[in-house]
Amino acid sequence: MSAPIDEAKLHAFTSKMLGDLGGAMSVPTVRIGVRLGLFDILANGPASAAELATRAGNLHERYVREWAYAQAANGYVDFDPTTQQFSMTPEQAMIFHHVDSPVYLVAAFEMVAAMIEAESKVEECFRNGSGVRWGDHAGCLFCATGAFFRPGYVNNIVQYWIPALQGVEAKLRVGAKVADVGCGVGFSTLLMAQAYPESRFIGYDFHAPSIEEARRHAAAHGLADRVQFEVATAKEVPEGDFDLVTMYDCLHDMGDPRGCASHMRRILAAGGSWMIVEPAAGNRPQDNFNPVGRLYYNASTMICVPTSLDQEVGEGLGAQAGEARLTEVIRSGGFANVRRAADGPFNMVLEAW
């Protein structure tokens, strides 16, 4: 016989589900609002639905009004029933308007949309144990991923993460050779290059369209003379003698992270360091049953594990591997020393030498 229903628990769980479903249903309306500039307009001052429609380029007021009511119900904008105006608080603007805010989360909505689009591909992997090649998921997932991580990089790489490494920042200031492996569209590489103009940077990624985008970013920022981007897997990085190798949020995506660790050891110069930035995670699954872990486990199911299982070896570490397992993988590559150099709500930074 089934256990009796606890009405209080059922009510609490139903309320949670209504909140979750409301968040899920907000994904398309948020994306539309971002593309049409509606959040940006409200961040710069209150507006009625009609005023908002006009300022956004003479959009149809009826659609804009319903969109604005939806965002007010979401709690993403405020609504004043007396003036019939919509507005954004400074805190809401940090999420939806200020692109360099550490909590600018607009790109997360793009990632969710891409995950839903790739649902059938990942479902088939459940049946046959295969993977989904990076870039074959759906839409421009690699663009959304780069944009999602960018705010964290803007607010942490130069300010906290590199200074937390042992003696590395001093090398970068006088001139060092750096490999950014798994660089994606190049945000991390270019941020380092801007901060340390005496050093030379090479970004590597196995996804050719990402490298093409990275090269465009380098040219647009006037850094093409000091920053080079090349297509290569982590285990096939051709150059060596690097003073610093960085990996931002990608070791767990690799099919053979142990083989990667071995190669990183080979390409480092004597006295060089490997910085590994990974999603924040505890060592036990239950340690990650929290809001951040929830995001990462779901993304890992749809993106990280399928990407790893598509590659050779296919270890499938997942985005919540935890420090202990990551340390074991790194040490398997011949690194005698691994330490946690820094951490935060979304990431942990490991240093190996």
Side-chain angles (χ1 to χ4, degrees):
M1 296 179 62
S2 60
I5 298 295
D6 184 315
E7 292 296 333
K9 289 183 178 178
L10 177 61
H11 177 73
F13 186 57
T14 301
S15 296
K16 168 185 162 48
M17 289 304 303
L18 289 173
D20 290 351
L21 289 170
M25 289 184 179
S26 75
V27 170
T29 62
V30 167
R31 295 175 72 212
I32 289 172
V34 169
R35 287 195 297 270
L36 295 178
L38 298 174
F39 287 110
D40 294 332
I41 293 168
L42 290 178
N44 288 312
S48 67
E51 291 166 341
L52 184 56
T54 299
R55 293 178 194 173
N58 293 317
L59 300 177
H60 286 272
E61 186 272 344
R62 183 66 188 90
Y63 280 103
V64 172
R65 183 176 8 129
E66 204 72 2
W67 174 90
Y69 286 148
Q71 304 320 307
N74 285 335
Y76 299 166
V77 307
D78 284 0
F79 175 64
D80 185 334
T82 302
T83 64
Q84 293 289 299
Q85 286 188 318
F86 301 89
S87 61
M88 292 186 73
T89 66
E91 295 76 21
Q92 291 164 338
M94 289 283 282
I95 300 289
F96 291 106
H97 171 65
H98 297 296
V99 296
D100 286 341
S101 157
V103 289
Y104 181 71
L105 293 175
V106 164
F109 291 84
E110 296 299 325
M111 289 182 66
V112 171
M115 287 163 58
I116 293 171
E117 189 179 341
E119 181 182 321
S120 61
K121 296 178 181 178
V122 177
E123 181 179 341
E124 189 59 30
C125 295
F126 275 70
R127 296 189 174 92
N128 59 31
S130 63
V132 180
R133 190 174 303 277
W134 182 249
D136 288 350
H137 284 259
C140 189
L141 176 63
F142 68 92
C143 300
T145 301
F148 173 74
F149 285 119
R150 180 186 173 278
Y153 298 163
V154 166
N155 288 279
N156 288 286
I157 290 178
V158 174
Q159 298 91 328
Y160 302 110
W161 295 346
I162 288 178
L165 306 178
Q166 296 179 340
V168 169
E169 188 171 40
K171 293 180 182 178
L172 293 172
R173 293 203 180 282
V174 298
K177 183 180 178 183
V178 182
D180 189 13
V181 179
C183 66
V185 295
F187 289 139
S188 54
T189 324
L190 297 174
L191 284 167
M192 292 189 292
Q194 287 173 326
Y196 305 107
E198 300 302 317
S199 293
R200 177 191 171 210
F201 296 84
I202 308 176
Y204 296 99
D205 200 281
F206 76 153
H207 185 235
S210 291
I211 290 297
E212 291 172 8
E213 187 72 11
R215 288 170 177 164
R216 284 193 287 269
H217 286 311
H221 288 82
L223 293 170
D225 59 328
R226 287 195 300 108
V227 183
Q228 178 181 346
F229 288 104
E230 301 295 339
V231 177
T233 66
K235 294 195 301 183
E236 295 173 343
V237 171
E239 289 200 41
D241 202 32
F242 290 102
D243 299 295
L244 174 66
V245 173
T246 60
M247 280 192 183
Y248 294 96
D249 292 292
C250 63
L251 181 63
H252 66 272
D253 292 317
M254 295 181 182
D256 184 13
R258 298 171 192 275
C260 166
S262 296
H263 192 59
M264 296 306 102
R265 188 73 188 89
R266 285 192 291 270
I267 67 174
L268 276 174
S273 300
W274 179 21
M275 180 173 77
I276 307 101
V277 177
E278 280 287 300
N283 291 322
R284 304 177 304 167
Q286 60 267 34
D287 296 335
N288 305 317
F289 298 162
N290 52 55
V292 173
R294 180 187 185 188
L295 292 177
Y296 282 141
Y297 270 130
N298 280 286
S300 187
T301 302
M302 299 301 295
I303 302 171
C304 308
V305 170
T307 296
S308 176
L309 266 58
D310 176 70
Q311 303 169 56
E312 60 175 346
V313 181
E315 182 155 338
L317 282 175
Q320 297 287 269
E323 182 179 357
R325 190 173 181 194
L326 289 168
T327 297
E328 187 270 321
V329 167
I330 294 165
R331 287 186 183 276
S332 74
F335 288 89
N337 303 287
V338 183
R339 75 178 187 102
R340 189 162 182 155
D343 54 25
F346 299 110
N347 290 99
M348 59 179 161
V349 180
L350 303 179
E351 181 181 14
W353 67 97

